[in-house]
Amino acid sequence: MPVATFEMPHQVSGLQGSLAELQTRVVAGKPDLVVLGGFEQNDELLEKIETLCTALPRAAVLLVCSNPESGFLLRAMRAGVREVISSDAPDAVTAAVARAEARFHSAPQASRKSSRCIGLMPAKGGDGASCLVANLASELSQTDNLRVLLIDLSLPFGDVELFLTRDTAMHNLADFADEIERLDGALLEGMTHHISANFHVIQSPQTIDQLLHITPRYVNRLIRIAVEHYDYVLLDLQLDTLSLSVLELLDQLVVVVTMNVPSVRRASQIIRMWESLGYAAAKLSVVVNAFHNKSIVRIADFEKTVGLRVSRILPLETDGIEASLLRGTAAVRLKPKSDFSKSINAWAAALTGHVPTETSIWQHFGIK
C-alpha cells in the first residue's frame, strides 16, 4: 500500500488483512476517511465496499485501483466510493486525500454528524409499515442524546401519528412547503410535532388541496435539511412517485412484507426495481411483519424466491397494536415485555449499537 504524506497532523491507522477482517475493524474505528488498496477488482470487493459505505455513511471512501475497467469503476462509485485513484504512487494518494479533506472541511459542521436516513416501505397496503416505523422511531428515541425525526410520506392521508399520539399537530408536511426557502434547524424543530423532547414527527397532509403543495423537489430538500439536525430520520414510504424520488437519499430501505402470496409477489417486484435502479444491494433489507406459525408462505421459500435473506422477523401482535391505536401511545411503550416490543428493541439496538437493558419496576415509576 502506498504511503501518503501530509502537511497537517492526522491520526492515521494502517491495517492489513482479509476483506472481512478489515471491514469489522474499520467500522469499529469510525474514521472520517478510508483508503482501500491492494485488492483484486471483483464482486467480493464491491460487496464489502457497499457494506462499509452503508455502515459509515459520512466517511469518504477512496479506492486505489490501477487501470480499473469502466464497468468496475461505475459500480464502485455506485457502491459509495468517493474517488477511485488509478495510480498507487504516494503523490497521487496524497493529492486524493487532500481533495477529500478539503470537501470535508468545506461542508457545514452539522452535516458531519453521524445521522442516518432510513425508509420503510410496505410491499402492499396492510403489511404494517406505518406501525413498525412508528414503534422503531419511538424505541430509537429512548437512547440518550439521540434526536429522531419521523416523516410520514405515505400519501394521501397517512396515519403514522395514530400509533404515537392523540394530540393534533399544528403543522403537517404541506406547511413546510411554504417555509422551505428559509427552513433551518430552529424553524424545522419549531414546526414539527413533539412526541417527546428528542422525538419529533411531521404528519401527512389531511386534505386534498394540501396534497397539491407536495412535490419531490421540496420533499428532497426537506430531508436534506433534516439529516443535518437529527441523528435518525425515518420515512414512512409507499410505492409511488414521491417515495421513489427520495430513494437516493436513503442510507437504508427496509421492505416490510407479510407471508402471504400478494405481499410476497409485490416485495419481489420492489427488490427487482431496486436492483434495476442501480442502488447498492447492501442498503436494501427485508423485514417480515406479523409472522405466525400459520403464515401461508414459509420464510425459507420467500428467501429462495427473491434471492435475499430476511434481516428481521417481527411476530404477530394484536392486543398491543389495538391498545396503541386506542390510546395514541407506541406499543413498545405500552407493552415493553411483549415479543413484538422485544423485537423492535433489538432492531433499534442493532442500529445504534446500544445494548438494551432491562427496565426495573422502579424506573417505570420514574425512580432511578
PDB file of all heavy atoms in Angstrom, residues 194-212:
ATOM      1  N   HIS A 194     -43.986  17.414  18.559  1.00  0.00           N
ATOM      2  CA  HIS A 194     -43.078  16.816  19.527  1.00  0.00           C
ATOM      3  C   HIS A 194     -43.781  15.710  20.320  1.00  0.00           C
ATOM      4  O   HIS A 194     -44.668  15.984  21.135  1.00  0.00           O
ATOM      5  CB  HIS A 194     -42.543  17.884  20.486  1.00  0.00           C
ATOM      6  CG  HIS A 194     -41.629  18.867  19.818  1.00  0.00           C
ATOM      7  ND1 HIS A 194     -40.730  19.644  20.520  1.00  0.00           N
ATOM      8  CD2 HIS A 194     -41.462  19.190  18.514  1.00  0.00           C
ATOM      9  CE1 HIS A 194     -40.063  20.418  19.666  1.00  0.00           C
ATOM     10  NE2 HIS A 194     -40.500  20.155  18.450  1.00  0.00           N
ATOM     11  N   ILE A 195     -43.362  14.465  20.083  1.00  0.00           N
ATOM     12  CA  ILE A 195     -43.835  13.344  20.900  1.00  0.00           C
ATOM     13  C   ILE A 195     -43.118  13.382  22.246  1.00  0.00           C
ATOM     14  O   ILE A 195     -43.693  13.103  23.293  1.00  0.00           O
ATOM     15  CB  ILE A 195     -43.588  12.009  20.184  1.00  0.00           C
ATOM     16  CG1 ILE A 195     -44.233  12.011  18.787  1.00  0.00           C
ATOM     17  CG2 ILE A 195     -44.117  10.848  21.027  1.00  0.00           C
ATOM     18  CD1 ILE A 195     -45.724  12.206  18.793  1.00  0.00           C
ATOM     19  N   SER A 196     -41.831  13.714  22.188  1.00  0.00           N
ATOM     20  CA  SER A 196     -41.026  13.931  23.382  1.00  0.00           C
ATOM     21  C   SER A 196     -39.982  14.975  23.030  1.00  0.00           C
ATOM     22  O   SER A 196     -39.976  15.504  21.909  1.00  0.00           O
ATOM     23  CB  SER A 196     -40.354  12.623  23.848  1.00  0.00           C
ATOM     24  OG  SER A 196     -39.404  12.183  22.898  1.00  0.00           O
ATOM     25  N   ALA A 197     -39.097  15.277  23.968  1.00  0.00           N
ATOM     26  CA  ALA A 197     -38.106  16.330  23.726  1.00  0.00           C
ATOM     27  C   ALA A 197     -37.192  16.015  22.555  1.00  0.00           C
ATOM     28  O   ALA A 197     -36.750  16.926  21.837  1.00  0.00           O
ATOM     29  CB  ALA A 197     -37.272  16.556  24.992  1.00  0.00           C
ATOM     30  N   ASN A 198     -36.921  14.727  22.327  1.00  0.00           N
ATOM     31  CA  ASN A 198     -35.982  14.351  21.258  1.00  0.00           C
ATOM     32  C   ASN A 198     -36.627  13.505  20.161  1.00  0.00           C
ATOM     33  O   ASN A 198     -35.937  12.981  19.295  1.00  0.00           O
ATOM     34  CB  ASN A 198     -34.794  13.576  21.852  1.00  0.00           C
ATOM     35  CG  ASN A 198     -35.225  12.261  22.484  1.00  0.00           C
ATOM     36  OD1 ASN A 198     -36.242  12.199  23.161  1.00  0.00           O
ATOM     37  ND2 ASN A 198     -34.451  11.210  22.268  1.00  0.00           N
ATOM     38  N   PHE A 199     -37.944  13.372  20.173  1.00  0.00           N
ATOM     39  CA  PHE A 199     -38.662  12.592  19.160  1.00  0.00           C
ATOM     40  C   PHE A 199     -39.747  13.463  18.537  1.00  0.00           C
ATOM     41  O   PHE A 199     -40.719  13.830  19.195  1.00  0.00           O
ATOM     42  CB  PHE A 199     -39.270  11.344  19.806  1.00  0.00           C
ATOM     43  CG  PHE A 199     -40.069  10.477  18.861  1.00  0.00           C
ATOM     44  CD1 PHE A 199     -39.890  10.537  17.481  1.00  0.00           C
ATOM     45  CD2 PHE A 199     -41.002   9.572  19.368  1.00  0.00           C
ATOM     46  CE1 PHE A 199     -40.626   9.738  16.627  1.00  0.00           C
ATOM     47  CE2 PHE A 199     -41.740   8.762  18.524  1.00  0.00           C
ATOM     48  CZ  PHE A 199     -41.550   8.854  17.152  1.00  0.00           C
ATOM     49  N   HIS A 200     -39.558  13.785  17.247  1.00  0.00           N
ATOM     50  CA  HIS A 200     -40.449  14.692  16.550  1.00  0.00           C
ATOM     51  C   HIS A 200     -41.050  14.020  15.311  1.00  0.00           C
ATOM     52  O   HIS A 200     -40.444  13.116  14.738  1.00  0.00           O
ATOM     53  CB  HIS A 200     -39.699  15.964  16.136  1.00  0.00           C
ATOM     54  CG  HIS A 200     -39.004  16.638  17.271  1.00  0.00           C
ATOM     55  ND1 HIS A 200     -37.960  17.534  17.093  1.00  0.00           N
ATOM     56  CD2 HIS A 200     -39.185  16.561  18.619  1.00  0.00           C
ATOM     57  CE1 HIS A 200     -37.541  17.965  18.266  1.00  0.00           C
ATOM     58  NE2 HIS A 200     -38.270  17.385  19.207  1.00  0.00           N
ATOM     59  N   VAL A 201     -42.232  14.507  14.913  1.00  0.00           N
ATOM     60  CA  VAL A 201     -42.962  13.898  13.795  1.00  0.00           C
ATOM     61  C   VAL A 201     -43.453  14.987  12.841  1.00  0.00           C
ATOM     62  O   VAL A 201     -43.900  16.054  13.277  1.00  0.00           O
ATOM     63  CB  VAL A 201     -44.171  13.076  14.302  1.00  0.00           C
ATOM     64  CG1 VAL A 201     -44.979  12.522  13.125  1.00  0.00           C
ATOM     65  CG2 VAL A 201     -43.701  11.928  15.197  1.00  0.00           C
ATOM     66  N   ILE A 202     -43.356  14.702  11.550  1.00  0.00           N
ATOM     67  CA  ILE A 202     -44.018  15.525  10.527  1.00  0.00           C
ATOM     68  C   ILE A 202     -45.120  14.669   9.919  1.00  0.00           C
ATOM     69  O   ILE A 202     -44.856  13.657   9.274  1.00  0.00           O
ATOM     70  CB  ILE A 202     -43.041  15.994   9.431  1.00  0.00           C
ATOM     71  CG1 ILE A 202     -41.935  16.855  10.040  1.00  0.00           C
ATOM     72  CG2 ILE A 202     -43.790  16.775   8.349  1.00  0.00           C
ATOM     73  CD1 ILE A 202     -40.895  17.334   9.029  1.00  0.00           C
ATOM     74  N   GLN A 203     -46.364  15.078  10.156  1.00  0.00           N
ATOM     75  CA  GLN A 203     -47.502  14.276   9.741  1.00  0.00           C
ATOM     76  C   GLN A 203     -47.851  14.508   8.275  1.00  0.00           C
ATOM     77  O   GLN A 203     -47.513  15.526   7.673  1.00  0.00           O
ATOM     78  CB  GLN A 203     -48.707  14.597  10.620  1.00  0.00           C
ATOM     79  CG  GLN A 203     -48.494  14.282  12.089  1.00  0.00           C
ATOM     80  CD  GLN A 203     -49.728  14.571  12.930  1.00  0.00           C
ATOM     81  OE1 GLN A 203     -50.818  14.786  12.414  1.00  0.00           O
ATOM     82  NE2 GLN A 203     -49.558  14.567  14.248  1.00  0.00           N
ATOM     83  N   SER A 204     -48.566  13.548   7.719  1.00  0.00           N
ATOM     84  CA  SER A 204     -49.055  13.639   6.347  1.00  0.00           C
ATOM     85  C   SER A 204     -50.179  14.670   6.266  1.00  0.00           C
ATOM     86  O   SER A 204     -50.929  14.856   7.228  1.00  0.00           O
ATOM     87  CB  SER A 204     -49.568  12.268   5.914  1.00  0.00           C
ATOM     88  OG  SER A 204     -50.283  12.345   4.707  1.00  0.00           O
ATOM     89  N   PRO A 205     -50.316  15.370   5.124  1.00  0.00           N
ATOM     90  CA  PRO A 205     -51.449  16.302   4.967  1.00  0.00           C
ATOM     91  C   PRO A 205     -52.773  15.557   4.981  1.00  0.00           C
ATOM     92  O   PRO A 205     -52.848  14.388   4.587  1.00  0.00           O
ATOM     93  CB  PRO A 205     -51.177  16.961   3.612  1.00  0.00           C
ATOM     94  CG  PRO A 205     -50.274  16.028   2.893  1.00  0.00           C
ATOM     95  CD  PRO A 205     -49.442  15.365   3.946  1.00  0.00           C
ATOM     96  N   GLN A 206     -53.811  16.230   5.443  1.00  0.00           N
ATOM     97  CA  GLN A 206     -55.092  15.571   5.665  1.00  0.00           C
ATOM     98  C   GLN A 206     -56.198  16.014   4.711  1.00  0.00           C
ATOM     99  O   GLN A 206     -57.328  15.556   4.829  1.00  0.00           O
ATOM    100  CB  GLN A 206     -55.543  15.817   7.106  1.00  0.00           C
ATOM    101  CG  GLN A 206     -54.577  15.260   8.151  1.00  0.00           C
ATOM    102  CD  GLN A 206     -54.399  13.759   8.040  1.00  0.00           C
ATOM    103  OE1 GLN A 206     -55.377  13.014   8.014  1.00  0.00           O
ATOM    104  NE2 GLN A 206     -53.145  13.313   7.966  1.00  0.00           N
ATOM    105  N   THR A 207     -55.881  16.913   3.778  1.00  0.00           N
ATOM    106  CA  THR A 207     -56.888  17.346   2.803  1.00  0.00           C
ATOM    107  C   THR A 207     -56.298  17.299   1.397  1.00  0.00           C
ATOM    108  O   THR A 207     -55.081  17.378   1.210  1.00  0.00           O
ATOM    109  CB  THR A 207     -57.368  18.784   3.088  1.00  0.00           C
ATOM    110  OG1 THR A 207     -56.263  19.690   2.938  1.00  0.00           O
ATOM    111  CG2 THR A 207     -57.924  18.908   4.502  1.00  0.00           C
ATOM    112  N   ILE A 208     -57.179  17.183   0.416  1.00  0.00           N
ATOM    113  CA  ILE A 208     -56.744  17.078  -0.976  1.00  0.00           C
ATOM    114  C   ILE A 208     -56.007  18.340  -1.424  1.00  0.00           C
ATOM    115  O   ILE A 208     -54.983  18.268  -2.119  1.00  0.00           O
ATOM    116  CB  ILE A 208     -57.950  16.822  -1.901  1.00  0.00           C
ATOM    117  CG1 ILE A 208     -58.528  15.421  -1.652  1.00  0.00           C
ATOM    118  CG2 ILE A 208     -57.546  16.963  -3.362  1.00  0.00           C
ATOM    119  CD1 ILE A 208     -57.583  14.287  -2.012  1.00  0.00           C
ATOM    120  N   ASP A 209     -56.502  19.518  -1.051  1.00  0.00           N
ATOM    121  CA  ASP A 209     -55.850  20.751  -1.505  1.00  0.00           C
ATOM    122  C   ASP A 209     -54.433  20.871  -0.940  1.00  0.00           C
ATOM    123  O   ASP A 209     -53.546  21.430  -1.594  1.00  0.00           O
ATOM    124  CB  ASP A 209     -56.688  21.974  -1.124  1.00  0.00           C
ATOM    125  CG  ASP A 209     -56.835  22.121   0.382  1.00  0.00           C
ATOM    126  OD1 ASP A 209     -57.271  21.156   1.019  1.00  0.00           O
ATOM    127  OD2 ASP A 209     -56.511  23.205   0.916  1.00  0.00           O
ATOM    128  N   GLN A 210     -54.181  20.327   0.254  1.00  0.00           N
ATOM    129  CA  GLN A 210     -52.837  20.375   0.807  1.00  0.00           C
ATOM    130  C   GLN A 210     -51.878  19.467   0.036  1.00  0.00           C
ATOM    131  O   GLN A 210     -50.678  19.741  -0.038  1.00  0.00           O
ATOM    132  CB  GLN A 210     -52.857  19.953   2.280  1.00  0.00           C
ATOM    133  CG  GLN A 210     -53.475  20.987   3.206  1.00  0.00           C
ATOM    134  CD  GLN A 210     -53.463  20.520   4.648  1.00  0.00           C
ATOM    135  OE1 GLN A 210     -53.611  19.332   4.940  1.00  0.00           O
ATOM    136  NE2 GLN A 210     -53.302  21.461   5.564  1.00  0.00           N
ATOM    137  N   LEU A 211     -52.393  18.410  -0.549  1.00  0.00           N
ATOM    138  CA  LEU A 211     -51.546  17.498  -1.318  1.00  0.00           C
ATOM    139  C   LEU A 211     -50.892  18.190  -2.503  1.00  0.00           C
ATOM    140  O   LEU A 211     -49.815  17.785  -2.956  1.00  0.00           O
ATOM    141  CB  LEU A 211     -52.362  16.297  -1.814  1.00  0.00           C
ATOM    142  CG  LEU A 211     -52.812  15.288  -0.760  1.00  0.00           C
ATOM    143  CD1 LEU A 211     -53.716  14.247  -1.396  1.00  0.00           C
ATOM    144  CD2 LEU A 211     -51.611  14.620  -0.114  1.00  0.00           C
ATOM    145  N   LEU A 212     -51.542  19.235  -3.021  1.00  0.00           N
ATOM    146  CA  LEU A 212     -51.006  19.955  -4.183  1.00  0.00           C
ATOM    147  C   LEU A 212     -49.691  20.650  -3.856  1.00  0.00           C
ATOM    148  O   LEU A 212     -48.926  20.997  -4.758  1.00  0.00           O
ATOM    149  CB  LEU A 212     -52.038  20.969  -4.690  1.00  0.00           C
ATOM    150  CG  LEU A 212     -53.388  20.381  -5.126  1.00  0.00           C
ATOM    151  CD1 LEU A 212     -54.342  21.498  -5.543  1.00  0.00           C
ATOM    152  CD2 LEU A 212     -53.205  19.381  -6.262  1.00  0.00           C
TER     153      LEU A 212
END
